[in-house]
Amino acid sequence: MKRWLTKKKQTIPFDPETQEPVIRASICTGERTAGFADKQTGRFHEYLCIRDEQELADFCRQTGTSPDRIRTVY
């Protein structure tokens, strides 16, 4: 199999001591954005737009968490 056809296991570099993965959701439109929140300041760093459950599952896999452990911020 060719090297470019194989799927690499990617991880997202973040510091679990100072950051936590969160989902920011819009109350009006329902748009969801995955990213990281600083534990001290609460500042949100956007990573990607979540369009379906597969993208959420990929984000969870890359951060090493499960969907039920990621909190949603409105």
Side-chain angles (χ1 to χ4, degrees), residues 7-11 61-62:
K7 198 174 209 180
K8 292 181 183 178
K9 182 178 179 183
Q10 296 177 323
T11 58
R61 181 182 46 77
Q62 291 171 350

Side-chain angles (χ1 to χ4, degrees), residues 34-49:
F36 301 96
D38 190 298
K39 289 182 179 180
Q40 291 181 350
T41 64
R43 183 175 179 191
F44 182 77
H45 301 279
E46 186 175 312
Y47 182 71
L48 69 105
C49 183

